[in-house]
Amino acid sequence: MFLDLDGDGPQYAQLTRALKGAILDGRMVAGTRLPSTRELAQQLEVSRTTVLAAYEQLRAEGFINGRIGSGSYVSRLQLAPALQPAGNATVPPASRYAERARKLRNRGIGGMHYGLRYDLLYGDPVTNPALNAAWGRELARAAAYSSLRVTSSWGLPALRQQICDYLARRRGVQTRPENVQIVTGTQQAYALCARVLLDEGDTVALEDPNYFGAYHVLAAHGASLYPVRTDDDGLVCAELPDTPPKLISVTPSHQFPTGSVMSLPRRLELLRYAASKRCWIVEDDYDGELRYDGHPLAALRSLDDSDRVIYVGTFSKTLFGALRIGYMVLPTALRDDFNAAKYLSDMSSPGIEQAALAHFMECGGFERHLRHARRELKTRREVLIAGLHQYAGERVQVVHSPAGMHVVAWLEGYDHARAEALIAHAHDRGLGLHPIAPHYFAPPSRPGLLLGYCNLSIAELREAMRLFGECLDAVPARAGRIRRPA
């Protein structure tokens, strides 16, 4: 019997799929006697236990049946006629939401250089090997002592209390646990904001440039997006629309992606605008804790006397990306609506992970990790910037922003086409460069790069900057023949 095992997963699962395929495509018709387990094991050079497990699975699913003293036989299945393949025809979207989601731009921004040795990817937190062991201990403890029942859609009370204590101490935000909603990361926070606050066609004022995840969620929901320019002081409030939007989305503590910090006058102006126009503000504080020139700035929410700010924080940026836990500090008037939307979305966030995180914060592990991350990231940032000065020189303009997990570098003298040629050449050399242009509603006047430094060691960053200088030499600002390395 010819059976092709696909190599994916345990051998018994591979054998089960192979036998199932042979039955469904007619190579083994109803009534066919299967080889004995010993015989098939010898033919395929696998253990007899593997064959026994596959036969048991097929018998449980009804594909074969056993006859005492005779063996196993293919069952008589009532199979519908095979459907004709649709070819290359595209199935039309089943809803307006699906139609809008299909049109979204640049959903794969972060994966454009997957697998490169020196990928200057931005957005991923710093790798801390000690965190793996610490988190493993917290998970084991939580699994042993936590209830296995579904957690409340609000989130675990212990975690919400720890978040309140942390925000009061580090971000200047005074709130109560009943106003804290645990969510599955920033992306779900934006999705809940769209669901609770917006109907199709409602206006949302969005920073330009902006976080692409927020853009995607709001555009797919059907919001009318109104771009508002940002400068060195953050969102230019004077350019907010006269007709009030339903929602304003900002990253005031570290504007993404430019790195600017919203000044105090702008913050007060934005809060006055929201209060007078009766609109809501989403404050995305995705990495406000990661500052290297002093104490983190107080959050916009800490200045909000009108209770118009929805504060969003995440542990995916401060701990590790696989931890899909974030939180929202909600205005009192909105908290029940958001909790209902959270319940209808996924009922609750994972309870054991919440318990582990609550204890990790309570025992001081979270803040110890933050101190380590800040020291490590500051060093890597300095190495990256020193490398840019050494190997790129005046060919790039580095934006000063002593915070976050990436550096913005504007390419001097390049146009966008030439910058794309530089990025493609760097990719061929094993260096991943990421353009800033996809975060703008319209391409900026000059091309720039977002250079992340969390995923590479200090030695790798030095080598990446040397390689970047070689790529700039090979693809200069003025078009010409690209010079290949010897």
Side-chain angles (χ1 to χ4, degrees):
M1 176 186 296
F2 174 77
L3 292 172
D4 185 19
L5 304 187
D6 56 23
D8 183 14
Q11 283 190 324
Y12 85 89
Q14 298 179 45
L15 179 57
T16 301
R17 288 194 295 271
L19 288 168
K20 198 180 297 185
I23 294 171
L24 291 174
D25 65 17
R27 283 181 287 140
M28 297 174 63
V29 299
T32 301
R33 184 181 183 277
L34 274 67
S36 68
T37 55
R38 194 181 305 277
E39 178 186 352
L40 187 55
Q42 291 174 349
Q43 290 179 12
L44 299 178
E45 297 182 346
V46 297
S47 72
R48 185 168 174 241
T49 304
T50 297
V51 181
L52 279 168
Y55 278 18
E56 284 299 321
Q57 182 65 34
L58 291 171
R59 188 173 293 111
E61 295 182 22
F63 283 90
I64 65 175
N65 57 72
R67 302 176 189 173
I68 297 176
S70 179
S72 298
Y73 294 82
V74 177
S75 301
R76 200 170 294 278
L77 304 175
Q78 298 294 325
L79 298 177
L83 295 175
Q84 294 298 318
N88 293 327
T90 302
V91 177
S95 66
R96 292 191 300 272
Y97 179 91
E99 182 178 7
R100 292 189 295 266
R102 288 187 183 187
K103 297 176 182 177
L104 293 179
R105 56 180 169 90
N106 301 311
R107 280 183 294 175
I109 286 175
M112 62 185 296
H113 299 303
Y114 182 77
L116 293 189
R117 182 177 182 183
Y118 302 110
D119 187 3
L120 296 171
L121 181 65
Y122 54 95
D124 284 351
V126 65
T127 301
N128 178 6
L131 183 61
N132 287 46
W135 185 248
R137 290 192 297 270
E138 295 294 349
L139 280 178
R141 181 186 183 280
Y145 293 103
S146 299
S147 169
L148 298 183
R149 299 182 63 184
V150 175
T151 308
S152 162
S153 54
W154 276 112
L156 197 69
L159 178 58
R160 292 155 64 198
Q161 182 62 61
Q162 288 299 320
I163 289 171
C164 290
D165 296 343
Y166 173 78
L167 290 177
R169 190 169 60 252
R170 300 292 299 178
R171 308 297 291 124
V173 175
Q174 302 290 335
T175 189
R176 296 173 296 181
E178 55 264 34
N179 282 53
V180 175
Q181 173 75 68
I182 303 299
V183 292
T184 313
T186 301
Q187 203 72 1
Q188 186 179 50
Y190 276 110
L192 294 178
C193 286
R195 186 172 297 182
V196 172
L197 302 176
L198 302 174
D199 291 319
E200 287 180 304
D202 283 344
T203 301
V204 176
L206 197 62
E207 292 173 319
D208 188 21
N210 55 71
Y211 168 54
F212 58 87
Y215 175 96
H216 291 157
V217 169
L218 297 169
H221 188 77
S224 174
L225 301 181
Y226 186 95
V228 181
R229 185 171 58 90
T230 61
D231 61 17
D232 291 342
D233 289 324
L235 187 78
V236 181
C237 299
E239 298 182 10
L240 286 165
D242 293 330
T243 303
K246 274 282 193 72
L247 187 65
I248 304 170
S249 175
V250 290
T251 51
S253 295
H254 186 228
Q255 202 280 328
F256 185 87
T258 64
S260 64
V261 176
M262 185 180 285
S263 64
L264 180 59
R266 290 272 182 89
R267 293 179 184 227
L268 296 176
E269 184 180 358
L270 177 60
L271 291 171
R272 284 194 298 268
Y273 178 93
S276 63
K277 302 290 188 180
R278 308 294 296 170
C279 53
W280 303 102
I281 300 172
V282 176
E283 178 185 9
D284 182 359
D285 196 17
Y286 64 101
D287 66 354
E289 299 92 339
L290 300 176
R291 294 196 65 85
Y292 318 120
D293 61 349
H295 195 277
L297 300 175
L300 179 68
R301 168 83 190 188
S302 67
L303 303 171
D304 179 25
D305 294 329
S306 301
D307 210 17
R308 308 300 298 181
V309 175
I310 302 164
Y311 179 90
V312 177
T314 179
F315 295 100
S316 299
K317 299 297 184 188
T318 51
L319 287 173
F320 50 91
L323 181 63
R324 304 308 304 159
I325 295 180
Y327 55 91
M328 308 174 74
V329 178
L330 298 168
T332 301
L334 297 177
R335 63 189 185 188
D336 291 337
D337 292 337
F338 269 87
N339 184 244
K342 167 66 177 177
Y343 175 82
L344 294 172
S345 174
D346 61 4
M347 191 170 291
S348 68
S349 297
I352 291 178
E353 285 85 346
Q354 289 186 63
L357 180 55
H359 186 261
F360 191 52
M361 296 179 75
E362 181 183 8
C363 69
F366 178 60
E367 296 208 37
R368 285 194 297 272
H369 166 75
L370 281 182
R371 288 193 294 271
H372 170 272
R374 277 193 290 266
R375 289 194 301 269
E376 182 66 25
L377 288 176
K378 181 179 180 181
T379 302
R380 296 188 192 189
R381 181 185 188 84
E382 290 170 349
V383 168
L384 177 73
I385 293 176
L388 287 172
H389 290 320
Q390 179 179 355
Y391 296 108
E394 296 182 354
R395 292 175 291 184
V396 301
Q397 179 191 352
V398 179
V399 177
H400 175 70
S401 176
M405 298 178 285
H406 69 269
V407 166
V408 176
W410 296 103
L411 296 169
E412 297 289 352
Y414 283 75
D415 58 21
H416 288 281
R418 199 66 181 155
E420 288 298 326
L422 172 67
I423 292 170
H425 178 74
H427 181 94
D428 293 340
R429 298 288 307 277
L431 176 65
L433 301 177
H434 298 265
I436 196 173
H439 299 280
Y440 283 80
F441 280 84
S445 58
R446 56 176 174 166
L449 301 172
L450 296 178
L451 305 177
Y453 46 84
C454 291
N455 291 319
L456 300 180
S457 68
I458 290 174
E460 289 170 332
L461 284 169
R462 291 190 175 116
E463 179 62 20
M465 289 300 96
R466 185 193 64 78
L467 190 55
F468 180 48
E470 292 182 0
C471 293
L472 289 170
D473 293 338
V475 189
R478 287 189 295 176
R481 184 176 179 180
I482 296 177
R483 298 193 294 274
R484 302 294 180 187

